């Protein structure tokens, strides 16, 4: 389980989860019994869920930044229009 908190940036959480998931898959594919037990106990699904959640959070943050930028540009245009009238 990753020691990162929910306050860690989502892109870091996504990277760590992706690395752990890839390592687990590689270990299972090479026949590592401990890794297979982790996979069977749901570790792979937990890591994949963590990765998807972090990516979703990152994407929503990027979308929010785009929307805020668009709204700010509208406010600037409205301010200019008001100043000129």
């Amino acid at each position: 389980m990753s020691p990162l908190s929910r306050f860690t940036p989502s892109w870091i959480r996504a990277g760590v989860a992706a690395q752990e998931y890839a390592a687990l898959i590689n270990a299972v594919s090479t026949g590592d019994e401990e890794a297979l037990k982790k996979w069977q106990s749901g570790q792979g699904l937990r890591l994949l869920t963590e990765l998807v959640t972090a990516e979703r959070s990152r994407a929503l943050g990027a979308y929010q930044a785009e929307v805020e930028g668009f709204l700010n540009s509208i406010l600037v245009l409205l301010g200019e229009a008001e100043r000129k009238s």
Side-chain angles (χ1 to χ4, degrees):
M1 181 167 183
S2 175
L4 302 175
S5 76
R6 65 184 178 99
F7 300 110
T8 303
S10 61
W11 61 272
I12 293 175
R13 290 193 322 266
V16 169
Q19 288 175 342
E20 290 178 12
Y21 186 72
L24 182 60
I25 288 175
N26 286 337
V28 168
S29 68
T30 61
D32 184 324
E33 290 295 322
E34 185 65 30
L36 183 58
K37 288 178 186 176
K38 286 180 179 180
W39 184 267
Q40 290 171 337
S41 71
Q43 182 74 5
L45 182 58
R46 186 198 63 76
L47 287 170
L48 188 57
T49 301
E50 188 175 320
L51 173 59
V52 169
T53 301
E55 278 298 308
R56 180 179 176 267
S57 176
R58 184 199 57 76
L60 287 174
Y63 176 74
Q64 180 181 359
E66 283 185 34
V67 169
E68 287 175 356
F70 177 71
L71 291 175
N72 284 337
S73 66
I74 290 174
L75 290 174
V76 167
L77 290 173
L78 288 173
E80 281 297 309
E82 183 179 338
R83 186 181 63 80
K84 289 182 178 181
S85 61

